[in-house]
Amino acid sequence: MDSLLHLTLENLLSPTVLFFVLGVFAALTRSSLTIPEAIAKALSIYLVMAIGFKGGYQVSKAGIDLGLFLSLLAGMLLSFAVPFLAFAMLKVTTRLPTVDAASIAAHYGSISIVTFLAGTEVLKLLGHEAEGYMVAVAAVMEVPAILSGLWIAARAVTDKSSIGGMDNSLMREVLLNGSIVLLTGAFLIGVVTGEKGMATVSAFIVDPFKGVLCLFLLDMGLVAGRGLRTSWKYLKPGLLIFGIYMPVLGAGLGLFCGWALGLSLGGTVLFMILGASASYIAVPAAMRMALPDSQPAIPLALSLGITFPFNLTIGIPLYVTVASRVL
Amino acid sequence: MDSLLHLTLENLLSPTVLFFVLGVFAALTRSSLTIPEAIAKALSIYLVMAIGFKGGYQVSKAGIDLGLFLSLLAGMLLSFAVPFLAFAMLKVTTRLPTVDAASIAAHYGSISIVTFLAGTEVLKLLGHEAEGYMVAVAAVMEVPAILSGLWIAARAVTDKSSIGGMDNSLMREVLLNGSIVLLTGAFLIGVVTGEKGMATVSAFIVDPFKGVLCLFLLDMGLVAGRGLRTSWKYLKPGLLIFGIYMPVLGAGLGLFCGWALGLSLGGTVLFMILGASASYIAVPAAMRMALPDSQPAIPLALSLGITFPFNLTIGIPLYVTVASRVL
Amino acid sequence: MDSLLHLTLENLLSPTVLFFVLGVFAALTRSSLTIPEAIAKALSIYLVMAIGFKGGYQVSKAGIDLGLFLSLLAGMLLSFAVPFLAFAMLKVTTRLPTVDAASIAAHYGSISIVTFLAGTEVLKLLGHEAEGYMVAVAAVMEVPAILSGLWIAARAVTDKSSIGGMDNSLMREVLLNGSIVLLTGAFLIGVVTGEKGMATVSAFIVDPFKGVLCLFLLDMGLVAGRGLRTSWKYLKPGLLIFGIYMPVLGAGLGLFCGWALGLSLGGTVLFMILGASASYIAVPAAMRMALPDSQPAIPLALSLGITFPFNLTIGIPLYVTVASRVL
Amino acid sequence: MEMRKRIEFILEKPFLERLIALLDEMETPGYTVIPAKAGRGRQDPWTREGMVTDAGRQIIVVSFAEAGLAEKIAQRAAEKLGNRIALISLTDAAVYLPD
Amino acid sequence: MEMRKRIEFILEKPFLERLIALLDEMETPGYTVIPAKAGRGRQDPWTREGMVTDAGRQIIVVSFAEAGLAEKIAQRAAEKLGNRIALISLTDAAVYLPD
Amino acid sequence: MEMRKRIEFILEKPFLERLIALLDEMETPGYTVIPAKAGRGRQDPWTREGMVTDAGRQIIVVSFAEAGLAEKIAQRAAEKLGNRIALISLTDAAVYLPD
Ligand SMILES: Nc1ncnc2c1ncn2[C@@H]1O[C@H](COP(=O)(O)O)[C@@H](O)[C@H]1O
Ligand SMILES: Nc1ncnc2c1ncn2[C@@H]1O[C@H](COP(=O)(O)O)[C@@H](O)[C@H]1O
Ligand SMILES: Nc1ncnc2c1ncn2[C@@H]1O[C@H](COP(=O)(O)O)[C@@H](O)[C@H]1O
Ligand code: NA
Ligand code: NA
Ligand code: NA
């Protein structure tokens, strides 16, 4: 318990978390501080490219083994499964319309790459590097969740007209989503170019990485704070608490995966983070198209305004502590 | 005198100044060279974040002492006082409408963070590091100047309808202005995270800093040159000369502050620069709201087109030389 | 032949080329991956500024000699001459309207600075640094090609109304084009500030350079792929082949220049690349104004969709190999 | 100079591709997409500042077409995009057609 | 399909918050903010290229409302924002209301 | 409140300077430039995503002017910019003139 407290405090006082807090503060006080949309997109492209490449580079060093494929499989299963659990919890504990519950469920089955990044940084500080292929696991955990969410909606929603369904453009949006393509592509380039490639680009993607992450978290704080301000009204107690226990449940499933696969401590923690985090970039757009009758503001406020800060501040240290005990 | 000349020449041939000159040249020749608005904003966010964090880091090393509080107080007083001086000079030497004179006065009481950055770099090259908390002084020197400007306008302008006055959104704009919040926030984060925080982000905010400053100065040169082209007609001789002697007067007041507070040479020079420089980012928008009948183009052309280049090229070396003699 | 194969393979598996391929793949599969326009512009500004400055820095070390002036002259002549050759080839091998052939010809007389950058990086890896002033040669190779293109159009096109002609804004667009001004300006700043200047900015413009190039090539891949998708229909076989043999012809002329001037291997290869590459940034806008009846999509698809990838993947290794044999 | 209708769609960005597909399918002579930065309707205000996801943002599409076609397009789009997704308006405009 | 007025404000960016507050206060059904890049009026030309400050730039706000409300809004806005700050225009538009 | 024409040009970006020169020359009271992100006409679709060159993109220019002047401007612009370069439209608008 002592080490958890210590770790949490240390984490809370890291520049990354503090810049996020600064962003939330600025948004809540309605400061005019904003980061242009094009810059926010560029930061996220940079981070995805960097984390993908670094993961691939690590795999190029460690070699491709069965663990990679099993982890991919486990990640997909986890992403398929979590929405069912989330949907069940929401139906039991809240009075959300079914279509909204299905949409939220899909968000929680998917992952937040920024939470993943923050976790990687914490692990690196603690000296627990994870398997490089966890990046690839992150990449495969978006699509299954969306499919689960749609399947749940198709089964549970009675008014079928409210389900946009899976047309071509949605399918493309889901499968060839920009961040998935970039994450996977950069990962493969890292695998292929290995040491040489890393030498070429490390001054760009490794050295300034944490600083860029600070800037991006400042922006995420701004967006999250603004989201909370406008959407606070939707976050009824039942939903609010869901935003906190659901990541813990997801982390539990991730812990099981990591343990069953025999991953390293770092890898297990990242699996927990993947289970615990919820999407707020790719899935919202996809669910908007698939379920046009759901209210897009609710999952966004929940995943970005509650679950993301929870994971960033308390969740990650908690998962590290638990994993160290269990493994 | 010789060392001043030498220093000025050296300064004029630094990449920062030359990129500014390149920008002015490109704008005056109507080249199609432009930097997208989102990028200009991102560069300024980066620079503010970096300078704030570095200042905080230095304070975390030096410790917080009385000097910090006294300097903050002195900065506020300076920012309050300068607009009165500026207004008086303008009324005596030009025929500007009162409302425009008040607006310009507010601009000169406030500060230009980019001039401050350029000063920091020159000082670093000369081996005179300043007190880290000078960044915090910069942060408190925006609001008082605006209040002074408004107070002057309220007293001096007869047609009260032309004074927008201080409503909520203006108050917020002034107090929670994006760059103030970021500068202060990054400063505090630097204080709190200290050495460890610096290790995390230095590859992002320290190493490439000067290069980014070059790019931003290129942009400032483009904007200043364009402003001069369109607003040259407003810059009657009296006003033009004001743009050059007013920074020198402000620097004199800053010199007095630095000397009275017993600051280091570096700190004193920065105080001079704060006194000498005029705002062209936050104050213009605030004064536009507060004094809708003033012509926004005039203070902008004056502070960005005359005073900024003057400080950047001749002013900074001059202030360094004078301060070295006096202290 | 063996070393060519080896070099080509090595080049194909470099991060720069692979990120380009990733971009093309994403565009062809209609992934939602895109890079905001402002970021693309910022990346190109960064790259132009960096390459200009580095070239100037190298000249400041090597000193200015006759070779510089002769190379500038040769570059201009090459840029004047290539459009005539290109136009003749197009008239013989395709049935393009004269005005389109003239426009394409101007594109091929001009240069692609990104191809030049990619070539510089390959040469650096191989240990063949080129003359720094080759950057200045690149800067003077845009205008002559446009003038040639206009001259050809004016002579060959019968319906004179379709020639917009050379008015003031076009003249400015051509001569004071943003990238030319920045490239030349940064080059001169590099020459003037030399070692000291380089020390100031190298952490910004040297260290992360290759990584930024990867990101920019990802974007170029996206744009090229998208261009191919929409414009494939215009690329009749004759035109398509032109997009491949024309750079080889241009490289041949460049080889002659490099050899006649007695340049180093690196300088000769860069001359070949200048001859081989075609513009897709400045020239398209200028030709659109000058020849409003030409179809802008055709030269863009050809230079960015065919010639650029050809040079990037096969061309550069080929030119290096040929130059090593010849010199 | 001919009379046309100026159709203006203010619609949620995720549906842009579908609208364009519809416009293409109905052989609209052309359209232009214009960015939007912020707004409010019956639901909450939104703004693009700092946002990465496309969800919850609006975008504007303008198309000039002959009156008959324009009305058909507006009708079809209103049906297809349904509730909450698009605000569709028609204005009279005189168009100077480029040749 | 119903007849509405399309109100278009071209106004100085620093006054955007005030206009929005007015629109909210008058219970306008909605509005959308559109960026502007450059322009000229009676005063000097402006452009956003490379600018950081919000001063001296214009922004566009579009709002569809019933004729009566629209005229009231335009009137109030013209009074409140006063001279030099906004160009306000009203156009007739047929709106296909979502649901 | 006075009746004006709202002229809207959708034109190729490389010709923007020429259009502005024309507007200045004809003493248009003002204009505002609005960005466009994507589009399609008789030619291929285009989009700005990731683009560096100005060629092949459209930009929008809006100008409010008195009917007579507006028609003259539209006429001249159509002549000068000629084929394929601009889509010019005129709409009736009631303008609340600032002061
Ligand atoms: N009456 C209106 N005038 C202009 N824009 C509107 C109007 N109503 C809605 N919008 C835009 O459409 C978005 C979604 O509207 P709603 O679905 O009603 O929340 C708003 O955020 C505005 O950007
Ligand atoms: N007649 C007009 N048509 C379109 N935009 C205008 C017009 N007049 C003014 N504007 C816009 O409003 C801004 C300020 O106008 P002004 O206050 O007259 O200088 C201009 O820079 C334009 O962007
Ligand atoms: N009918 C239209 N409505 C709206 N925008 C159009 C229309 N026609 C053309 N455009 C715009 O003008 C550009 C060029 O049109 P075009 O020259 O016909 O290919 C298109 O890509 C659109 O952005
Ligand atoms: Na998850
Ligand atoms: Na000052
Ligand atoms: Na060439």
Side-chain angles (χ1 to χ4, degrees), chain B residues 145-163:
Chain B
I146 293 173
L147 297 179
S148 280
L150 286 184
W151 193 86
I152 292 170
R155 305 234 26 194
V157 176
T158 42
D159 173 11
K160 297 302 177 209
S161 82
S162 67
I163 300 175

mmCIF file with all atom_site columns, all heavy atoms in Angstrom, chain B residues 145-163:
data_model
loop_
_atom_site.group_PDB
_atom_site.id
_atom_site.type_symbol
_atom_site.label_atom_id
_atom_site.label_alt_id
_atom_site.label_comp_id
_atom_site.label_asym_id
_atom_site.label_entity_id
_atom_site.label_seq_id
_atom_site.pdbx_PDB_ins_code
_atom_site.Cartn_x
_atom_site.Cartn_y
_atom_site.Cartn_z
_atom_site.occupancy
_atom_site.B_iso_or_equiv
_atom_site.pdbx_formal_charge
_atom_site.auth_seq_id
_atom_site.auth_comp_id
_atom_site.auth_asym_id
_atom_site.auth_atom_id
_atom_site.pdbx_PDB_model_num
ATOM 1   N N   . ALA B 1 145 ? -1.238  46.696 -16.901 1.00 0.00 ? 145 ALA B N   1
ATOM 2   C CA  . ALA B 1 145 ? -1.173  47.665 -17.999 1.00 0.00 ? 145 ALA B CA  1
ATOM 3   C C   . ALA B 1 145 ? -2.537  47.857 -18.638 1.00 0.00 ? 145 ALA B C   1
ATOM 4   O O   . ALA B 1 145 ? -2.923  48.973 -18.995 1.00 0.00 ? 145 ALA B O   1
ATOM 5   C CB  . ALA B 1 145 ? -0.164  47.187 -19.045 1.00 0.00 ? 145 ALA B CB  1
ATOM 6   N N   . ILE B 1 146 ? -3.277  46.764 -18.770 1.00 0.00 ? 146 ILE B N   1
ATOM 7   C CA  . ILE B 1 146 ? -4.607  46.881 -19.383 1.00 0.00 ? 146 ILE B CA  1
ATOM 8   C C   . ILE B 1 146 ? -5.518  47.692 -18.467 1.00 0.00 ? 146 ILE B C   1
ATOM 9   O O   . ILE B 1 146 ? -6.263  48.572 -18.931 1.00 0.00 ? 146 ILE B O   1
ATOM 10  C CB  . ILE B 1 146 ? -5.179  45.480 -19.667 1.00 0.00 ? 146 ILE B CB  1
ATOM 11  C CG1 . ILE B 1 146 ? -4.342  44.798 -20.756 1.00 0.00 ? 146 ILE B CG1 1
ATOM 12  C CG2 . ILE B 1 146 ? -6.632  45.564 -20.092 1.00 0.00 ? 146 ILE B CG2 1
ATOM 13  C CD1 . ILE B 1 146 ? -4.710  43.356 -21.005 1.00 0.00 ? 146 ILE B CD1 1
ATOM 14  N N   . LEU B 1 147 ? -5.436  47.423 -17.179 1.00 0.00 ? 147 LEU B N   1
ATOM 15  C CA  . LEU B 1 147 ? -6.267  48.174 -16.234 1.00 0.00 ? 147 LEU B CA  1
ATOM 16  C C   . LEU B 1 147 ? -5.911  49.657 -16.266 1.00 0.00 ? 147 LEU B C   1
ATOM 17  O O   . LEU B 1 147 ? -6.794  50.527 -16.306 1.00 0.00 ? 147 LEU B O   1
ATOM 18  C CB  . LEU B 1 147 ? -6.100  47.605 -14.821 1.00 0.00 ? 147 LEU B CB  1
ATOM 19  C CG  . LEU B 1 147 ? -6.559  46.146 -14.675 1.00 0.00 ? 147 LEU B CG  1
ATOM 20  C CD1 . LEU B 1 147 ? -6.335  45.647 -13.258 1.00 0.00 ? 147 LEU B CD1 1
ATOM 21  C CD2 . LEU B 1 147 ? -8.018  45.984 -15.077 1.00 0.00 ? 147 LEU B CD2 1
ATOM 22  N N   . SER B 1 148 ? -4.642  49.945 -16.289 1.00 0.00 ? 148 SER B N   1
ATOM 23  C CA  . SER B 1 148 ? -4.220  51.350 -16.400 1.00 0.00 ? 148 SER B CA  1
ATOM 24  C C   . SER B 1 148 ? -4.787  51.987 -17.652 1.00 0.00 ? 148 SER B C   1
ATOM 25  O O   . SER B 1 148 ? -5.332  53.093 -17.628 1.00 0.00 ? 148 SER B O   1
ATOM 26  C CB  . SER B 1 148 ? -2.697  51.456 -16.481 1.00 0.00 ? 148 SER B CB  1
ATOM 27  O OG  . SER B 1 148 ? -2.125  51.338 -15.218 1.00 0.00 ? 148 SER B OG  1
ATOM 28  N N   . GLY B 1 149 ? -4.637  51.281 -18.759 1.00 0.00 ? 149 GLY B N   1
ATOM 29  C CA  . GLY B 1 149 ? -5.120  51.806 -20.031 1.00 0.00 ? 149 GLY B CA  1
ATOM 30  C C   . GLY B 1 149 ? -6.608  52.112 -19.948 1.00 0.00 ? 149 GLY B C   1
ATOM 31  O O   . GLY B 1 149 ? -7.072  53.167 -20.410 1.00 0.00 ? 149 GLY B O   1
ATOM 32  N N   . LEU B 1 150 ? -7.367  51.196 -19.358 1.00 0.00 ? 150 LEU B N   1
ATOM 33  C CA  . LEU B 1 150 ? -8.805  51.404 -19.240 1.00 0.00 ? 150 LEU B CA  1
ATOM 34  C C   . LEU B 1 150 ? -9.109  52.594 -18.328 1.00 0.00 ? 150 LEU B C   1
ATOM 35  O O   . LEU B 1 150 ? -9.995  53.399 -18.604 1.00 0.00 ? 150 LEU B O   1
ATOM 36  C CB  . LEU B 1 150 ? -9.473  50.143 -18.681 1.00 0.00 ? 150 LEU B CB  1
ATOM 37  C CG  . LEU B 1 150 ? -9.585  49.000 -19.671 1.00 0.00 ? 150 LEU B CG  1
ATOM 38  C CD1 . LEU B 1 150 ? -10.338 47.841 -19.053 1.00 0.00 ? 150 LEU B CD1 1
ATOM 39  C CD2 . LEU B 1 150 ? -10.300 49.486 -20.927 1.00 0.00 ? 150 LEU B CD2 1
ATOM 40  N N   . TRP B 1 151 ? -8.370  52.664 -17.259 1.00 0.00 ? 151 TRP B N   1
ATOM 41  C CA  . TRP B 1 151 ? -8.585  53.742 -16.291 1.00 0.00 ? 151 TRP B CA  1
ATOM 42  C C   . TRP B 1 151 ? -8.309  55.091 -16.948 1.00 0.00 ? 151 TRP B C   1
ATOM 43  O O   . TRP B 1 151 ? -9.086  56.037 -16.829 1.00 0.00 ? 151 TRP B O   1
ATOM 44  C CB  . TRP B 1 151 ? -7.670  53.503 -15.088 1.00 0.00 ? 151 TRP B CB  1
ATOM 45  C CG  . TRP B 1 151 ? -8.004  54.344 -13.899 1.00 0.00 ? 151 TRP B CG  1
ATOM 46  C CD1 . TRP B 1 151 ? -8.926  54.065 -12.926 1.00 0.00 ? 151 TRP B CD1 1
ATOM 47  C CD2 . TRP B 1 151 ? -7.432  55.613 -13.558 1.00 0.00 ? 151 TRP B CD2 1
ATOM 48  N NE1 . TRP B 1 151 ? -8.952  55.058 -11.997 1.00 0.00 ? 151 TRP B NE1 1
ATOM 49  C CE2 . TRP B 1 151 ? -8.049  56.031 -12.348 1.00 0.00 ? 151 TRP B CE2 1
ATOM 50  C CE3 . TRP B 1 151 ? -6.456  56.418 -14.125 1.00 0.00 ? 151 TRP B CE3 1
ATOM 51  C CZ2 . TRP B 1 151 ? -7.729  57.230 -11.727 1.00 0.00 ? 151 TRP B CZ2 1
ATOM 52  C CZ3 . TRP B 1 151 ? -6.132  57.612 -13.510 1.00 0.00 ? 151 TRP B CZ3 1
ATOM 53  C CH2 . TRP B 1 151 ? -6.763  58.011 -12.314 1.00 0.00 ? 151 TRP B CH2 1
ATOM 54  N N   . ILE B 1 152 ? -7.205  55.138 -17.689 1.00 0.00 ? 152 ILE B N   1
ATOM 55  C CA  . ILE B 1 152 ? -6.879  56.372 -18.408 1.00 0.00 ? 152 ILE B CA  1
ATOM 56  C C   . ILE B 1 152 ? -7.995  56.731 -19.376 1.00 0.00 ? 152 ILE B C   1
ATOM 57  O O   . ILE B 1 152 ? -8.460  57.870 -19.433 1.00 0.00 ? 152 ILE B O   1
ATOM 58  C CB  . ILE B 1 152 ? -5.545  56.210 -19.181 1.00 0.00 ? 152 ILE B CB  1
ATOM 59  C CG1 . ILE B 1 152 ? -4.382  56.083 -18.202 1.00 0.00 ? 152 ILE B CG1 1
ATOM 60  C CG2 . ILE B 1 152 ? -5.320  57.370 -20.138 1.00 0.00 ? 152 ILE B CG2 1
ATOM 61  C CD1 . ILE B 1 152 ? -3.068  55.673 -18.858 1.00 0.00 ? 152 ILE B CD1 1
ATOM 62  N N   . ALA B 1 153 ? -8.442  55.731 -20.138 1.00 0.00 ? 153 ALA B N   1
ATOM 63  C CA  . ALA B 1 153 ? -9.493  55.986 -21.127 1.00 0.00 ? 153 ALA B CA  1
ATOM 64  C C   . ALA B 1 153 ? -10.760 56.477 -20.427 1.00 0.00 ? 153 ALA B C   1
ATOM 65  O O   . ALA B 1 153 ? -11.391 57.444 -20.860 1.00 0.00 ? 153 ALA B O   1
ATOM 66  C CB  . ALA B 1 153 ? -9.777  54.728 -21.930 1.00 0.00 ? 153 ALA B CB  1
ATOM 67  N N   . ALA B 1 154 ? -11.104 55.828 -19.330 1.00 0.00 ? 154 ALA B N   1
ATOM 68  C CA  . ALA B 1 154 ? -12.340 56.188 -18.629 1.00 0.00 ? 154 ALA B CA  1
ATOM 69  C C   . ALA B 1 154 ? -12.280 57.624 -18.125 1.00 0.00 ? 154 ALA B C   1
ATOM 70  O O   . ALA B 1 154 ? -13.276 58.332 -18.094 1.00 0.00 ? 154 ALA B O   1
ATOM 71  C CB  . ALA B 1 154 ? -12.575 55.227 -17.463 1.00 0.00 ? 154 ALA B CB  1
ATOM 72  N N   . ARG B 1 155 ? -11.107 58.060 -17.721 1.00 0.00 ? 155 ARG B N   1
ATOM 73  C CA  . ARG B 1 155 ? -10.959 59.412 -17.218 1.00 0.00 ? 155 ARG B CA  1
ATOM 74  C C   . ARG B 1 155 ? -10.839 60.432 -18.332 1.00 0.00 ? 155 ARG B C   1
ATOM 75  O O   . ARG B 1 155 ? -11.382 61.527 -18.258 1.00 0.00 ? 155 ARG B O   1
ATOM 76  C CB  . ARG B 1 155 ? -9.699  59.510 -16.335 1.00 0.00 ? 155 ARG B CB  1
ATOM 77  C CG  . ARG B 1 155 ? -9.693  58.506 -15.201 1.00 0.00 ? 155 ARG B CG  1
ATOM 78  C CD  . ARG B 1 155 ? -9.483  59.142 -13.866 1.00 0.00 ? 155 ARG B CD  1
ATOM 79  N NE  . ARG B 1 155 ? -9.907  60.531 -13.800 1.00 0.00 ? 155 ARG B NE  1
ATOM 80  C CZ  . ARG B 1 155 ? -9.592  61.365 -12.835 1.00 0.00 ? 155 ARG B CZ  1
ATOM 81  N NH1 . ARG B 1 155 ? -8.821  60.962 -11.847 1.00 0.00 ? 155 ARG B NH1 1
ATOM 82  N NH2 . ARG B 1 155 ? -10.010 62.599 -12.820 1.00 0.00 ? 155 ARG B NH2 1
ATOM 83  N N   . ALA B 1 156 ? -10.127 60.082 -19.368 1.00 0.00 ? 156 ALA B N   1
ATOM 84  C CA  . ALA B 1 156 ? -9.758  61.087 -20.352 1.00 0.00 ? 156 ALA B CA  1
ATOM 85  C C   . ALA B 1 156 ? -10.744 61.204 -21.511 1.00 0.00 ? 156 ALA B C   1
ATOM 86  O O   . ALA B 1 156 ? -10.875 62.262 -22.117 1.00 0.00 ? 156 ALA B O   1
ATOM 87  C CB  . ALA B 1 156 ? -8.360  60.784 -20.901 1.00 0.00 ? 156 ALA B CB  1
ATOM 88  N N   . VAL B 1 157 ? -11.419 60.094 -21.817 1.00 0.00 ? 157 VAL B N   1
ATOM 89  C CA  . VAL B 1 157 ? -12.305 60.127 -22.982 1.00 0.00 ? 157 VAL B CA  1
ATOM 90  C C   . VAL B 1 157 ? -13.632 60.743 -22.571 1.00 0.00 ? 157 VAL B C   1
ATOM 91  O O   . VAL B 1 157 ? -14.230 60.349 -21.563 1.00 0.00 ? 157 VAL B O   1
ATOM 92  C CB  . VAL B 1 157 ? -12.513 58.710 -23.537 1.00 0.00 ? 157 VAL B CB  1
ATOM 93  C CG1 . VAL B 1 157 ? -13.516 58.724 -24.679 1.00 0.00 ? 157 VAL B CG1 1
ATOM 94  C CG2 . VAL B 1 157 ? -11.186 58.138 -23.994 1.00 0.00 ? 157 VAL B CG2 1
ATOM 95  N N   . THR B 1 158 ? -14.107 61.702 -23.347 1.00 0.00 ? 158 THR B N   1
ATOM 96  C CA  . THR B 1 158 ? -15.348 62.377 -22.968 1.00 0.00 ? 158 THR B CA  1
ATOM 97  C C   . THR B 1 158 ? -16.573 61.582 -23.419 1.00 0.00 ? 158 THR B C   1
ATOM 98  O O   . THR B 1 158 ? -17.537 61.451 -22.681 1.00 0.00 ? 158 THR B O   1
ATOM 99  C CB  . THR B 1 158 ? -15.383 63.797 -23.565 1.00 0.00 ? 158 THR B CB  1
ATOM 100 O OG1 . THR B 1 158 ? -14.883 63.723 -24.905 1.00 0.00 ? 158 THR B OG1 1
ATOM 101 C CG2 . THR B 1 158 ? -14.496 64.724 -22.755 1.00 0.00 ? 158 THR B CG2 1
ATOM 102 N N   . ASP B 1 159 ? -16.507 61.025 -24.646 1.00 0.00 ? 159 ASP B N   1
ATOM 103 C CA  . ASP B 1 159 ? -17.649 60.254 -25.142 1.00 0.00 ? 159 ASP B CA  1
ATOM 104 C C   . ASP B 1 159 ? -17.632 58.848 -24.543 1.00 0.00 ? 159 ASP B C   1
ATOM 105 O O   . ASP B 1 159 ? -17.030 57.931 -25.090 1.00 0.00 ? 159 ASP B O   1
ATOM 106 C CB  . ASP B 1 159 ? -17.582 60.193 -26.674 1.00 0.00 ? 159 ASP B CB  1
ATOM 107 C CG  . ASP B 1 159 ? -18.649 59.252 -27.230 1.00 0.00 ? 159 ASP B CG  1
ATOM 108 O OD1 . ASP B 1 159 ? -19.540 58.836 -26.455 1.00 0.00 ? 159 ASP B OD1 1
ATOM 109 O OD2 . ASP B 1 159 ? -18.578 58.924 -28.419 1.00 0.00 ? 159 ASP B OD2 1
ATOM 110 N N   . LYS B 1 160 ? -18.328 58.689 -23.397 1.00 0.00 ? 160 LYS B N   1
ATOM 111 C CA  . LYS B 1 160 ? -18.236 57.419 -22.666 1.00 0.00 ? 160 LYS B CA  1
ATOM 112 C C   . LYS B 1 160 ? -18.738 56.225 -23.476 1.00 0.00 ? 160 LYS B C   1
ATOM 113 O O   . LYS B 1 160 ? -18.406 55.078 -23.185 1.00 0.00 ? 160 LYS B O   1
ATOM 114 C CB  . LYS B 1 160 ? -19.041 57.492 -21.354 1.00 0.00 ? 160 LYS B CB  1
ATOM 115 C CG  . LYS B 1 160 ? -18.503 58.536 -20.363 1.00 0.00 ? 160 LYS B CG  1
ATOM 116 C CD  . LYS B 1 160 ? -17.051 58.300 -19.979 1.00 0.00 ? 160 LYS B CD  1
ATOM 117 C CE  . LYS B 1 160 ? -16.533 59.405 -19.063 1.00 0.00 ? 160 LYS B CE  1
ATOM 118 N NZ  . LYS B 1 160 ? -15.110 59.660 -19.174 1.00 0.00 ? 160 LYS B NZ  1
ATOM 119 N N   . SER B 1 161 ? -19.576 56.474 -24.472 1.00 0.00 ? 161 SER B N   1
ATOM 120 C CA  . SER B 1 161 ? -20.140 55.355 -25.224 1.00 0.00 ? 161 SER B CA  1
ATOM 121 C C   . SER B 1 161 ? -19.046 54.580 -25.955 1.00 0.00 ? 161 SER B C   1
ATOM 122 O O   . SER B 1 161 ? -19.226 53.446 -26.357 1.00 0.00 ? 161 SER B O   1
ATOM 123 C CB  . SER B 1 161 ? -21.164 55.856 -26.239 1.00 0.00 ? 161 SER B CB  1
ATOM 124 O OG  . SER B 1 161 ? -20.501 56.312 -27.393 1.00 0.00 ? 161 SER B OG  1
ATOM 125 N N   . SER B 1 162 ? -17.905 55.213 -26.127 1.00 0.00 ? 162 SER B N   1
ATOM 126 C CA  . SER B 1 162 ? -16.864 54.526 -26.873 1.00 0.00 ? 162 SER B CA  1
ATOM 127 C C   . SER B 1 162 ? -16.018 53.610 -25.991 1.00 0.00 ? 162 SER B C   1
ATOM 128 O O   . SER B 1 162 ? -15.060 53.009 -26.446 1.00 0.00 ? 162 SER B O   1
ATOM 129 C CB  . SER B 1 162 ? -15.964 55.549 -27.565 1.00 0.00 ? 162 SER B CB  1
ATOM 130 O OG  . SER B 1 162 ? -15.247 56.260 -26.586 1.00 0.00 ? 162 SER B OG  1
ATOM 131 N N   . ILE B 1 163 ? -16.380 53.543 -24.732 1.00 0.00 ? 163 ILE B N   1
ATOM 132 C CA  . ILE B 1 163 ? -15.636 52.650 -23.845 1.00 0.00 ? 163 ILE B CA  1
ATOM 133 C C   . ILE B 1 163 ? -16.476 51.419 -23.585 1.00 0.00 ? 163 ILE B C   1
ATOM 134 O O   . ILE B 1 163 ? -17.541 51.485 -22.982 1.00 0.00 ? 163 ILE B O   1
ATOM 135 C CB  . ILE B 1 163 ? -15.293 53.343 -22.528 1.00 0.00 ? 163 ILE B CB  1
ATOM 136 C CG1 . ILE B 1 163 ? -14.441 54.570 -22.850 1.00 0.00 ? 163 ILE B CG1 1
ATOM 137 C CG2 . ILE B 1 163 ? -14.546 52.399 -21.597 1.00 0.00 ? 163 ILE B CG2 1
ATOM 138 C CD1 . ILE B 1 163 ? -14.137 55.408 -21.648 1.00 0.00 ? 163 ILE B CD1 1
#
